[in-house]
Amino acid sequence: MGDAVPEADETYFVNLGSATAGVTVSQAQGTGLIVNDDLFADVSVSNSDGVNWVAPLDTTTYEIVVTNTSTIIDIPAVAIVQTLPALLINVSWTCSGTGGATCPASGTGAVNQTRAMPKNSSLTYLVTATVNAPAGTPPASINTSVTATVQPPVSDTNPGNNTAADNNTLITDIIFRDGFQ
C-alpha cells in the first residue's frame, strides 16, 4: 500500500551470515529494490502577457509556463488547455522545454496539447495574438486562462495551482492609452 508522500525508489541489502548444515552460500549479500508506487506529483501553471490593457489591433504575447515541481515523479501525461476570447485572432505559439520535457516547436490557435513532463521539467509557450476590435467596439475584458490537468495514473497533490488567468481591459479611447490624461 502506498504512502501519502511520494518518495524515491529505495534499495536495500540483505547480508547473509555463516551457513550451517552443509549449505554453501555463493553470494553473501542480496540486493532488493522497493519501487515507488506513490504516484503523486504537482504541476503548476503561470500565464501572463505583462500588461493590464490592450488597444484595437495591438499584438500581445502571453507567456505560459507549465512546471512539474516534483523531484521524484515523472508524469506520463499532462493535458494543457488554453482558453482565449473571440477578440483575439491570428493566434500562434512557440514552445520550448527544459528538464527533458518536449513539445512541438510551434503551432497555431490556442494551446491544446497533452505532454509528458519528467520530474523537475517545464514547458514554456509564447502565444502571440492580435486584438480584433473594430472601431466603435466598447471597452471590454479580455480574459485568457490555461489549465494543466495531470492524467491518471498520477495524481496532483495541489490542483489549486493548475489554472492561471490573465485579465486585460480593452481600451478603445486611444487618448487614455499612455495613462496620462
Side-chain angles (χ1 to χ4, degrees), residues 2 7 16-17 27 29 58 63-64 75 80 94-95 107 109 140 148-149 175:
E7 54 192 351
L16 303 175
Q27 187 172 353
Q29 185 178 65
D58 275 358
E63 180 181 65
I64 299 166
I75 305 172
I80 304 164
T94 60
C95 183
T149 306
I175 194 167

Side-chain angles (χ1 to χ4, degrees), residues 1-2 7-12 32-39:
M1 181 165 188
E7 54 192 351
D9 292 348
E10 297 176 36
T11 300
Y12 64 93
L33 177 65
I34 300 172
V35 177
N36 174 38
D37 66 350
D38 310 316
L39 298 177

Side-chain angles (χ1 to χ4, degrees), residues 133 140 177:
R177 183 176 180 145

Side-chain angles (χ1 to χ4, degrees), residues 62-115:
Y62 296 90
E63 180 181 65
I64 299 166
V65 180
V66 180
T67 304
N68 177 359
T69 64
S70 175
T71 59
I72 300 169
I73 302 295
D74 294 331
I75 305 172
V78 177
I80 304 164
V81 178
Q82 180 186 34
T83 303
L84 297 172
L87 284 174
L88 295 178
I89 62 168
N90 301 326
V91 179
S92 63
W93 51 264
T94 60
C95 183
S96 61
T98 64
T102 61
C103 52
S106 62
T108 59
V111 175
N112 187 350
Q113 298 190 324
T114 299
R115 310 300 315 159

Side-chain angles (χ1 to χ4, degrees), residues 6 9 19 33 40 42-43 55 60 63 76-80 101 121 125 129 145 150 162:
D9 292 348
L33 177 65
F40 297 102
D42 182 26
V43 169
T60 188
E63 180 181 65
V78 177
I80 304 164
S121 68
Y125 294 88
S145 66
V150 174
N162 291 27

